[in-house]
Amino acid sequence: MSGSAADAIRIARAEIGYREGYSGGHWNNREKYAHAVPGLGWVNDDGEPWCAVFVAWVALQAGVADLFPRSASVWEDMNWFDSRGRYSAYPAIGAQAIFGASASTHTGIVVAYDADTITCVEGNTNDDGSPEGNGVYLRRHERRDSYVHGYGLPQYSEGVTTADPALKGKAGFTYKETASGPTSSGSHAGPSKGKAVVVKAGQTLAKIAAASGVSLAALLAANPQVKDADVIHPGDTITVPETSTPAPAKPVVRLAHVIKAATTDPDLTQGGTTYPADVRPVESALKAEGLLSSRYASDGSFGSTTVDAYADWQRRCGVGGPYDGIPGIASLRLLGEKYGFTVEG
């Protein structure tokens, strides 16, 4: 395989913020990953937990599928690594973290660690760290928590950066007490470089991220010493990653405007528009989802073709009903979360 730990981390990070389907007043475990992994489509079809599927998908997308198990079972994943002599009690960059006292509760990809914590990208979790959540999140855990069972160490061609002292000096391994993977690309052999910012009174990590033009996730990964994103103190030093670039402002789509466009534009002359500025981000997202032809994806008109495409999106995400192509707040927000626009409604 040609991929690296950096590739796996890059792919995993790009999915942070993805949310599964929502229907009947609750999240439903319907997601985009299972059908993209040969043999695991049934997980989505049956609405089963998908944290292990997410890891398998990341490995496949990163070109390292042969270095990871392909399973929907966390227990099977742990045994896959253990049977190959690549299971450790110590974290490593790009490793598969296994959670639960019985090694069968939850899993994710390690992107950073220090003496006390690990930071992972995890699917099928939430802000509370539930192993049965609603999407992909960046999570931090105490290394010595009984919830953390161990780590599968993929045999990356460039080697593995690990905190396991038993692997110090062994071929294929680089020992480091603290390490973090890249926020985009580059070496994963040590902590991220960047500009040092001294925390002032009243500042939060989120405020520093916004002022520096980086994501909160990137800031957390570059600062593994921060145990809680909500707890920093004046005088603390925070590293702002140099590799990060300012996040572009998200387009704002007004629900009332797109509903008006969806119920008005189909009766106008071909290409007629009502609220084109609100419609264009929706068209672009439907195109990216493979539901709308490029021919109609930037004209700002919520015509009958766009209505049909949006109905297909409603069926796909499984939110609300009827699937009539008239946007509702839940389906539109899911589309916006996935494709980078904000919904006001």
Side-chain angles (χ1 to χ4, degrees):
M1 306 299 288
S2 59
S4 65
D7 292 320
I9 290 170
R10 174 178 55 80
I11 295 295
R13 281 187 178 282
E15 296 303 305
I16 294 171
Y18 172 82
R19 300 294 180 265
E20 65 185 36
Y22 190 87
S23 61
H26 59 84
W27 300 97
N28 59 22
N29 275 347
R30 307 292 183 178
E31 34 70 30
K32 68 177 183 179
Y33 304 107
H35 278 291
V37 182
L40 295 184
W42 61 270
V43 174
N44 179 76
D45 296 341
D46 294 346
E48 293 293 325
W50 50 274
C51 59
V53 172
F54 173 69
V55 172
W57 180 88
V58 168
L60 189 65
Q61 296 297 311
V64 292
D66 289 352
L67 309 184
F68 283 80
R70 181 174 297 176
S71 164
S73 165
V74 178
W75 170 255
E76 289 181 11
D77 286 3
M78 185 277 291
N79 278 290
W80 189 92
F81 283 109
D82 192 40
S83 68
R84 288 160 174 78
R86 300 193 67 86
Y87 194 69
S88 173
Y90 294 84
I93 297 301
Q96 180 171 351
I98 303 293
F99 299 104
S102 61
S104 59
T105 303
H106 187 52
T107 189
I109 300 287
V110 178
V111 300
Y113 65 82
D114 61 17
D116 301 308
T117 66
I118 58 169
T119 302
C120 304
V121 179
E122 303 164 25
N124 202 189
T125 188
N126 58 24
D127 282 326
D128 296 326
S130 168
E132 180 50 40
N134 59 31
V136 181
Y137 291 76
L138 187 73
R139 298 289 310 163
R140 182 161 295 175
H141 306 269
E142 296 294 323
R143 270 179 57 176
R144 292 163 186 81
D145 192 318
S146 60
Y147 181 62
V148 181
H149 188 276
Y151 309 87
L153 309 182
Q155 195 170 358
Y156 294 116
S157 59
E158 77 275 20
V160 174
T161 299
T162 177
D164 192 338
L167 298 175
K168 192 173 184 178
K170 290 193 174 182
F173 298 95
T174 299
Y175 173 76
K176 285 189 176 290
E177 294 180 354
T178 297
S180 61
T183 55
S184 56
S185 61
S187 172
H188 64 276
S192 300
K193 295 180 179 180
K195 179 178 69 174
V197 173
V198 178
V199 177
K200 298 178 182 179
Q203 283 187 311
T204 65
L205 208 62
K207 287 182 179 179
I208 293 173
S212 304
V214 301
S215 69
L216 180 57
L219 201 58
L220 278 168
N223 293 274
Q225 80 281 4
V226 178
K227 306 302 189 292
D228 186 334
D230 297 321
V231 181
I232 56 175
H233 307 283
D236 289 350
T237 299
I238 299 298
T239 299
V240 177
E242 292 177 349
T243 54
S244 299
T245 56
K250 290 185 177 182
V252 175
V253 172
R254 294 161 183 80
L255 176 64
H257 287 182
V258 293
I259 291 176
K260 179 67 174 178
T263 55
T264 301
D265 291 357
D267 294 328
L268 301 178
T269 304
Q270 177 67 38
T273 64
T274 305
Y275 289 105
D278 294 274
V279 170
R280 286 193 182 96
V282 180
E283 291 177 315
S284 177
L286 292 172
K287 175 188 173 184
E289 192 70 15
L291 299 175
L292 185 64
S293 166
S294 299
R295 177 182 176 185
Y296 303 101
S298 61
D299 61 5
S301 174
F302 211 116
S304 57
T305 301
T306 305
V307 169
D308 291 343
Y310 198 90
D312 289 338
W313 164 246
Q314 290 170 318
R315 295 185 189 94
R316 180 171 294 180
C317 71
V319 172
Y323 304 145
D324 56 4
I326 308 302
I329 188 66
S331 63
L332 192 61
R333 281 182 173 164
L334 283 174
L335 192 64
E337 287 176 358
K338 189 171 184 181
Y339 292 105
F341 61 82
T342 299
V343 178
E344 291 183 357

